């Protein structure tokens, strides 16, 4: 019988992100998936409101955190992995191809001394790696396409797919970031859709189409029948065509240049300079996709 973890989603309306606490209710052990560290781009202020909400929930339930997991280096918000590691002592993990993303952004930010070796995390998962959440079996599938390093965590009957499939009425993730590919994303989505039909799918963002309330849980069967990018465009060529056409219309996420700087470094903020202030570096004219009007 497939094990059923207790999954609690925490929606962050500022970044439309869904963060998860995934627990084995019997052993009271849990993992945190894709936690957000708050950043206000107008003032430059950072905060731990989202991460503290997760910690409060974990405390209330009497859970012990076993892992802090990221599905990929996010391009639209900061990861709270490092903050939560300091607070809980739990190890951090991400997919091993994060090294390729680090190499790319190391050159963009011109950081000659930055170790693009994944040493910023406690564990780098390879495709097929297994681990446990309490007594529940978990495994890792590579799901590249949105980024080079994206992975899916399959924990019991629940798959944390982050930026591959969104809710069926919302479609799929964009594939136009450096290292992204609509063709590769198609293959990753096929792998996710070949999980058992009753597998619970937990997405990493919800952009609330039509202004509806945020949602984040579906099933493989629902995605196969109803996802607007998959069900209506069943061939790879159709999918790639609609995905690339939509990507041409999208502005870059407002925090991409800030986020990759933090997230390729495991969620660490830059060290303070001699005046005690931390600074971000913004490369100019590196990315396309300016929305001038
Ligand atoms: N407006 C958002 C856009 C964020 C964005 O581009 N999200 C990515 C995931 S990181 C995506 O796949 N969006 C799909 C879409 O908008 O169709 C922002 O500025 O942060
Ligand atoms: Fe993303």
């Amino acid at each position: 019988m497939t094990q059923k973890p207790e999954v609690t989603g925490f929606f962050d309306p500022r970044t439309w992100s869904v963060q998860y606490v995934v627990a084995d209710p019997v052993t009271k052990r849990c993992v945190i998936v894709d936690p957000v560290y708050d950043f206000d781009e107008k003032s430059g202020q950072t905060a731990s409101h989202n991460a503290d909400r997760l910690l409060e929930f974990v405390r209330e339930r009497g859970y012990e955190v076993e892992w802090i997991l990221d599905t990929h280096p996010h391009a639209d918000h900061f990861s709270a992995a490092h903050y939560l590691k300091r607070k809980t002592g739990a190890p951090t993990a991400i997919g091993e191809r994060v090294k390729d993303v680090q190499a790319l952004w190391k050159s963009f930010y011109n950081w000659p001394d930055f170790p693009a070796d994944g040493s910023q995390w406690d564990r780098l998962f390879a495709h097929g790696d297994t681990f446990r959440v309490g007594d529940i079996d978990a495994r890792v599938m590579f799901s590249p396409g949105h980024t080079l390093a994206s992975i899916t965590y399959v924990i019991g009957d629940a798959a944390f797919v982050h930026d591959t499939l969104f809710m069926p009425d919302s479609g799929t993730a964009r594939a136009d970031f450096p290292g992204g590919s609509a063709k590769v994303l198609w293959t990753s989505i096929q792998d996710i859709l070949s999980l058992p039909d009753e597998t619970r799918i937990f997405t990493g963002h919800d952009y609330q189409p039509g202004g509806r309330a945020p949602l984040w849980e579906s099933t493989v069967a629902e995605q196969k029948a109803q996802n607007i990018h998959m069900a209506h465009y069943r061939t790879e060529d159709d999918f790639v065509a609609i995905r690339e056409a939509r990507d041409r219309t999208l502005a870059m996420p407002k925090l991409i240049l800030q986020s990759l700087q933090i997230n390729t470094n495991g969620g660490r903020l830059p060290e303070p300079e001699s005046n005690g202030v931390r600074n971000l570096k913004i490369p100019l004219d590196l990315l396309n996709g300016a929305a001038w009007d």
Side-chain angles (χ1 to χ4, degrees):
M1 206 183 68
T2 315
Q3 303 153 298
K4 253 178 126 45
E6 177 197 276
V7 179
T8 311
F10 295 83
F11 185 69
D12 171 32
R14 288 176 74 93
T15 62
W16 302 275
S17 300
V18 193
Q19 315 151 83
Y20 294 99
V21 175
V22 187
D24 173 2
V26 178
T27 60
K28 292 192 174 289
R29 289 170 178 267
C30 74
V31 296
I32 293 175
V33 181
D34 287 323
V36 171
Y37 198 68
D38 309 297
F39 175 61
D40 175 61
E41 72 281 7
K42 294 200 179 94
S43 64
Q45 279 194 298
T46 63
S48 56
H49 302 305
N50 269 294
D52 290 338
R53 189 156 62 121
L54 302 177
L55 288 175
E56 188 52 37
F57 176 79
V58 164
R59 233 183 330 263
E60 273 168 15
R61 295 289 170 116
Y63 290 157
E64 190 183 328
V65 181
E66 290 198 305
W67 286 102
I68 300 154
L69 304 174
D70 267 302
T71 49
H72 65 292
H74 308 279
D76 63 326
H77 64 268
F78 296 0
S79 165
H82 184 65
Y83 173 80
L84 288 172
K85 179 185 161 84
R86 279 197 284 118
K87 288 282 177 182
T88 63
T92 58
I94 198 164
E96 65 178 358
R97 292 206 186 143
V98 76
K99 292 185 248 179
D100 299 332
V101 179
Q102 287 180 313
L104 205 58
W105 287 87
K106 169 182 173 148
S107 73
F108 294 163
Y109 291 121
N110 191 26
W111 286 339
D113 301 328
F114 181 76
D117 58 3
S119 56
Q120 297 82 354
W121 290 267
D122 296 302
R123 180 159 175 192
L124 296 182
F125 285 121
H127 180 76
D129 272 358
T130 59
F131 62 104
R132 282 166 88 78
V133 181
D135 288 337
I136 300 179
D137 294 319
R139 73 190 157 88
V140 171
M141 291 165 60
F142 276 164
S143 304
H146 174 62
T147 73
L148 287 166
S150 298
I151 58 177
T152 292
Y153 294 103
V154 183
I155 305 175
D157 74 331
F160 297 85
V161 303
H162 211 273
D163 297 354
T164 52
L165 293 162
F166 295 138
M167 288 303 286
D169 62 353
S170 214
T172 57
R174 66 194 293 173
D176 60 332
F177 296 158
S181 157
K183 221 174 145 57
V184 173
L185 181 61
W186 164 266
T187 305
S188 294
I189 291 175
Q190 295 306 317
D191 292 345
I192 292 167
L193 295 181
S194 61
L195 292 168
D197 270 355
E198 60 281 8
T199 305
R200 291 181 289 164
I201 298 283
F202 292 95
T203 189
H205 288 293
D206 185 54
Y207 295 106
Q208 301 181 254
R212 66 154 169 69
L215 294 171
W216 46 81
E217 178 176 348
S218 58
T219 62
V220 164
E222 287 163 0
Q223 290 284 355
K224 282 201 281 208
Q226 296 161 23
N227 187 292
I228 56 167
H229 292 168
M230 303 305 294
H232 297 176
Y233 300 89
R234 289 174 194 278
T235 71
E236 176 173 341
D237 287 349
D238 285 341
F239 172 76
V240 170
I242 58 120
R243 188 64 260 169
E244 290 181 345
R246 175 160 169 79
D247 287 350
R248 280 191 288 276
T249 71
L250 296 175
M252 281 290 143
K254 63 177 185 270
L255 300 182
I256 186 168
L257 295 171
Q258 296 91 333
S259 301
L260 266 308
Q261 211 162 141
I262 306 298
N263 296 339
T264 53
N265 200 16
R268 289 170 185 78
L269 299 177
E271 287 303 314
E273 297 192 12
S274 56
N275 63 351
V277 177
R278 304 173 196 271
N279 284 285
L280 288 167
K281 190 170 180 180
I282 302 294
L284 303 185
D285 297 319
L286 172 81
L287 301 175
N288 296 318
W292 295 114
D293 304 314

